[in-house]
Amino acid sequence: MAAVAEAGGDDARCVRLSAERAQALLADVDTLLFDCDGVLWRGETAVPGAPEALSALRASGKRLGFITNNSSKTREAYAEKLRRLGFGGPAGPGAGLEVFGTAYCTALYLRQRLAGAPAPKAYVLGSEALAAELKAVGVSCVGVGPEPLLGDSPGAWLDAPLDPDVRAVVVGFDPHFSYMKLTKAVRYLQQPGCLLVGTNMDNRLPLENGRFIAGTGCLVRAVEMAAQRQADIIGKPSRFIFDCVSQEYGIDPERTVMVGDRLDTDILLGVTCGLKTILTLTGVSTLGDVKSNQESDCMSKKKMVPDFYVDSIADLLPALQG
C-alpha cells in the first residue's frame, strides 16, 4: 500500500517523510499547525513519542499552533491538557494562545455576525466550554445541559417557551443532545434572521484502543435536515478557522505545515490554504483512503491528498536529533 501511495498516481504527493526529507522540510518552515485528537493523543493518552517530538520542535525554534475541531474545551483547558500530557506550552495569563478550537473561533464568528444586536443570545447545543467562549465575547447562552421532553405529545413539545432574544442556534459536541433540543432548535430557526452555526462536521471522534464515538457532524446534520437549512461551519476544512489563526499569528502559508490525521478536514484545510501537509496514520484516515482519493475522478477528492505521511509524528524525532 505504501509503495502505491508513494507512486502518487498522477502527482508526486503523499511521500513517506523520511528523516532526510523532514530535515529539508523543516529548514523551510517557521510554523507547524497540529490537529490534536488522533495526532497528539487518543482520548487521555498521548501518542508515544509525540510529546518528545513537539519538545524538540520548540527547542529548534519552531512556532507551534493547535487547530482542533473539538468544541468541548476552552482554549485554556486545551492548553492545560497539552501541558499535562507533556507537550509544553505557555502557562498563566498566556495559556491558550497557541490553541484555536472551534469553541473559541465560533465565538469570534458570532461576535462578527451579531455585531450591533442588542444583548445577543444563542441557543447552544453544546458544552459549558462552548458557552463560556461565547459569553467571553458578549454572547449569552441558553440550552446547555440536559433538556428532557416537556409533556407527552408533539403539541406540548411545540408549546415549550422560547427565549425571544435568541439570534443564533449553535451546534457543537453535545452528549445531552435530545429530541426536545432538536425541536427547540428548529423552532428558533423558523424565526427570521436566526443564524445556524455548526462548530464542525466531524463524523466521529477517535478514542483509545481503536474506539470512537459519534462526532458533532452527526448532530449538525440532524438539525440541518429538520430545519431544512445549511449551517455555517466554523471548523476544518472551513477557511474561517485558518483565518482566525492567521490573524493572530501572522502566518506565511508558504512557510507553514498542517499536520493532521483526517484527509477531509486537516489535509483539505492545508491544501485549500496553500500550506504544506503531513498526514499521520495514528487517527482516522489511512493510506488506503489516500489511494482512493488519488484514483478518484472527483476533483474535490483529489485535493484530499497530503504532501507527506508519517506513521506517527514521533517519526519527526530523527530529523530533529540528527
Side-chain angles (χ1 to χ4, degrees), residues 278-296:
I278 301 174
L279 174 71
T280 176
L281 301 178
T282 48
V284 174
S285 296
T286 67
L287 287 180
D289 297 327
V290 174
K291 182 174 183 290
S292 176
N293 287 350
Q294 287 175 320
E295 296 176 350
S296 174

Side-chain angles (χ1 to χ4, degrees), residues 201-235:
M201 291 302 296
D202 291 8
N203 60 354
R204 55 175 61 178
L205 179 64
L207 302 175
E208 301 95 334
N209 304 316
R211 299 182 300 168
F212 61 87
I213 57 176
T216 299
C218 304
L219 311 185
V220 176
R221 285 290 188 226
V223 176
E224 286 184 327
M225 181 169 286
Q228 296 185 338
R229 292 267 303 271
Q230 187 169 356
D232 298 331
I233 304 301
I234 303 303

Side-chain angles (χ1 to χ4, degrees), residues 10 14 27 29 32 37 62 78 105 109 126 140 152 154 170 180 185 188 195 213 240 246 257 261 273 277 291 296 309:
D10 59 358
C14 200
V29 164
L32 292 93
D37 299 290
K62 302 303 180 186
Y78 252 104
C105 294
Y109 181 78
S140 57
D152 56 3
V170 179
M180 191 68 210
Y188 279 121
L195 304 175
I213 57 176
F240 183 82
S246 186
V257 175
D261 70 309
C273 297
T277 53
K291 182 174 183 290
S296 174
Y309 77 91

Side-chain angles (χ1 to χ4, degrees), residues 112-174:
Q112 291 179 11
R113 292 295 307 273
L114 298 178
K121 186 176 290 187
Y123 182 62
V124 175
L125 291 79
S127 64
E128 292 284 358
L130 177 55
E133 295 284 18
L134 294 179
K135 291 173 184 175
V137 300
V139 178
S140 57
C141 303
V142 294
V144 175
E147 192 161 355
L149 283 171
L150 299 177
D152 56 3
S153 69
W157 306 336
L158 293 173
D159 288 337
L162 298 181
D163 190 314
D165 295 325
V166 165
R167 297 290 180 267
V169 171
V170 179
V171 186
F173 181 75
D174 188 358

Side-chain angles (χ1 to χ4, degrees), residues 8-308:
D10 59 358
D11 61 43
R13 289 184 294 161
C14 200
V15 176
R16 178 180 284 279
L17 191 62
S18 64
E20 183 179 358
R21 287 176 179 142
Q23 285 181 331
L25 174 66
L26 292 173
D28 292 330
V29 164
D30 301 319
T31 304
L32 292 93
L33 304 176
F34 290 89
D35 178 44
C36 297
D37 299 290
V39 176
L40 306 181
W41 57 64
R42 301 185 193 93
E44 291 297 318
T45 305
V47 169
E52 293 81 1
L54 263 66
S55 294
L57 286 168
R58 291 186 190 278
S60 69
K62 302 303 180 186
R63 181 170 55 171
L64 308 184
F66 304 94
I67 307 182
T68 173
N69 274 0
N70 193 325
S71 65
S72 64
K73 290 182 174 64
T74 62
R75 298 181 94 185
E76 291 76 15
Y78 252 104
E80 189 279 328
K81 182 171 183 178
L82 284 162
R83 294 193 303 273
R84 174 163 44 86
L85 295 183
F87 293 97
L97 294 180
E98 293 181 328
V99 179
F100 297 85
T102 51
Y104 171 69
C105 294
T106 296
L108 298 183
Y109 181 78
L110 283 185
R111 184 173 65 183
Q112 291 179 11
R113 292 295 307 273
L114 298 178
K121 186 176 290 187
Y123 182 62
V124 175
L125 291 79
S127 64
E128 292 284 358
L130 177 55
E133 295 284 18
L134 294 179
K135 291 173 184 175
V137 300
V139 178
S140 57
C141 303
V142 294
V144 175
E147 192 161 355
L149 283 171
L150 299 177
D152 56 3
S153 69
W157 306 336
L158 293 173
D159 288 337
L162 298 181
D163 190 314
D165 295 325
V166 165
R167 297 290 180 267
V169 171
V170 179
V171 186
F173 181 75
D174 188 358
H176 300 295
F177 188 85
S178 66
Y179 195 82
M180 191 68 210
K181 288 191 172 188
L182 179 59
T183 301
K184 272 196 171 182
V186 171
R187 292 174 63 203
Y188 279 121
L189 290 166
Q190 289 174 331
Q191 300 178 357
C194 186
L195 304 175
L196 174 56
V197 181
T199 60
N200 68 83
M201 291 302 296
D202 291 8
N203 60 354
R204 55 175 61 178
L205 179 64
L207 302 175
E208 301 95 334
N209 304 316
R211 299 182 300 168
F212 61 87
I213 57 176
T216 299
C218 304
L219 311 185
V220 176
R221 285 290 188 226
V223 176
E224 286 184 327
M225 181 169 286
Q228 296 185 338
R229 292 267 303 271
Q230 187 169 356
D232 298 331
I233 304 301
I234 303 303
K236 299 169 292 185
S238 167
R239 190 180 180 95
F240 183 82
I241 196 166
F242 176 74
D243 289 342
C244 292
V245 182
S246 186
Q247 287 169 14
E248 295 192 20
Y249 262 31
I251 282 177
D252 177 358
E254 292 185 357
R255 296 188 62 81
T256 302
V257 175
M258 179 71 215
V259 185
D261 70 309
R262 295 183 63 117
L263 298 174
D264 59 344
T265 56
D266 308 314
I267 302 307
L268 182 55
L269 176 75
V271 171
T272 301
C273 297
L275 315 179
K276 300 175 178 66
T277 53
I278 301 174
L279 174 71
T280 176
L281 301 178
T282 48
V284 174
S285 296
T286 67
L287 287 180
D289 297 327
V290 174
K291 182 174 183 290
S292 176
N293 287 350
Q294 287 175 320
E295 296 176 350
S296 174
D297 293 329
C298 175
M299 290 308 298
S300 62
K301 286 191 174 182
K302 282 185 175 294
K303 277 187 174 182
M304 292 186 277
V305 175
D307 296 311
F308 304 99

